[in-house]
Amino acid sequence: MAAPVYKRVLLKVSGEALMGDRPFGIDPERIARIADEIAEVHGLGVEVASVLGGGNIIRGVTAAASGIERVAADHMGMLATVINGLAMQDALEKRRVATRLISAIEMREICEPFIRRRAMRHLEKKRVILFVGGTGNPYFTTDSAAALRANEIHADILLKATKVDGVYTSDPKLHKDARMLPSLSYQQALEENLRVMDAAAISLCRDNRLPIKVFNLLVPGNIRRAVCGEEIGSLVAETAFATAAKEVS
Ligand code: UDP
């Protein structure tokens, strides 16, 4: 079996990924499978940090559209990530993986506050760390939190687990001629507004030359494949390694 090519990874898991086929909330089977996969790569000796989203419970923009003040709505969104983090922590600990839940918003009874050096120490001690609470600030996303934390902990790569195979030239659901790009530059992602992550998150990765791998979490085994450097999904880096785009199958 292939060996890991990264020593330390930051895995971004969106709230939506935890929903499974449900319209809302957490699907225990889905969270169990993701936990299995995280436990697997952790077992390969990879240091794993994860940032959890909250969109399966509440999104600030949507809540604000229904009349809640935006900052309050974003606070609600950040709290949603804590709920997801607690579920993921439970699933991982059931698999005997030592974890630490670390929140950008202090909640001492249930998670640790974010202290960078302490987080790094947990990784060195082979604990999986789960970052919740986003950046701790409204008007940001958990993608930005993932870019921020990945840089802070000196991760080798940001693994963005999504529901699609990678980055497409346009929305494959709307455009038949959409093509998947196995490789693209940060600049291309920003200029062409390709839906990798929000612009703030991509810029932060670009400025610090942190590669981003976008891949499909719905395919079992893909976290291991991404960690082992297999050619799945799309790699966003300083320069694209190939201009060829894959046909959508
Ligand atoms: N959020 C925020 N600041 C952050 C991260 C998240 O205010 O730094 C809020 C925001 O309202 C967002 C919600 O938390 O809509 C859930 O996060 P996100 O939408 O990024 O989750 P995902 O799409 O990954 O499930």
Side-chain angles (χ1 to χ4, degrees):
M1 199 161 69
V5 294
Y6 303 110
K7 184 172 181 288
R8 179 174 291 177
V9 299
L10 187 300
L11 175 71
K12 162 72 204 293
V13 178
S14 70
E16 243 188 6
L18 305 178
M19 245 168 25
D21 296 327
R22 296 174 182 221
F24 171 84
I26 299 172
D27 174 6
E29 276 175 34
R30 174 62 64 78
I31 212 159
R33 186 174 67 68
I34 299 173
D36 279 339
E37 294 200 28
I38 294 176
E40 184 187 5
V41 296
H42 178 254
L44 297 175
V46 181
E47 294 175 2
V48 185
S50 183
V51 165
L52 292 138
N56 56 323
I57 299 170
I58 194 160
R59 258 182 228 288
V61 178
T62 319
S66 68
I68 297 174
E69 197 259 332
R70 173 67 193 265
V71 175
D74 280 340
H75 285 157
M76 291 163 75
M78 287 187 270
L79 293 182
T81 70
V82 183
I83 295 176
N84 287 334
L86 285 163
M88 183 61 83
Q89 179 173 45
D90 174 71
L92 284 168
E93 299 251 328
K94 285 202 171 107
R95 286 159 181 78
R96 300 185 185 285
V97 177
T99 63
R100 290 292 185 275
L101 190 62
I102 300 181
S103 175
I105 299 166
E106 266 204 45
M107 253 180 260
R108 303 190 79 92
E109 284 76 8
I110 53 176
C111 37
E112 285 183 10
F114 174 63
I115 298 167
R116 178 174 168 268
R117 283 169 189 275
R118 200 159 153 185
M120 307 273 274
R121 186 85 186 114
H122 289 320
L123 289 170
E124 284 159 14
K125 289 199 160 189
K126 305 296 175 203
R127 295 170 185 141
V128 169
I129 54 179
L130 303 170
F131 288 122
V132 293
T135 62
N137 301 292
Y139 301 104
F140 284 91
T141 63
T142 51
D143 278 353
S144 286
L148 177 68
R149 296 294 186 235
N151 280 297
E152 283 181 290
I153 64 165
H154 299 157
D156 299 314
I157 191 162
L158 195 168
L159 301 175
K160 157 101 176 157
T162 69
K163 293 198 326 184
V164 289
D165 286 336
V167 181
Y168 288 81
T169 50
S170 57
D171 188 342
K173 284 195 205 111
L174 303 177
H175 302 103
K176 275 207 168 122
D177 59 349
R179 286 153 180 268
M180 200 191 97
L181 300 164
S183 162
L184 65 156
S185 66
Y186 303 113
Q187 208 55 30
Q188 186 181 1
L190 287 169
E191 278 169 11
E192 296 174 24
N193 202 14
L194 302 175
R195 294 196 293 174
V196 179
M197 297 195 301
D198 57 81
I202 300 171
S203 306
L204 195 54
C205 292
R206 180 194 58 190
D207 295 349
N208 296 286
R209 298 181 182 179
L210 180 79
I212 309 163
K213 180 78 148 179
V214 183
F215 66 97
N216 194 342
L217 184 66
L218 303 185
V219 178
N222 259 359
I223 297 180
R224 175 181 46 74
R225 289 187 194 96
V227 162
C228 293
E230 288 186 29
E231 282 188 21
I232 56 161
S234 304
L235 184 71
V236 190
E238 210 153 3
T239 49
F241 62 70
T243 47
K246 274 188 195 160
E247 295 286 346
V248 179
S249 52

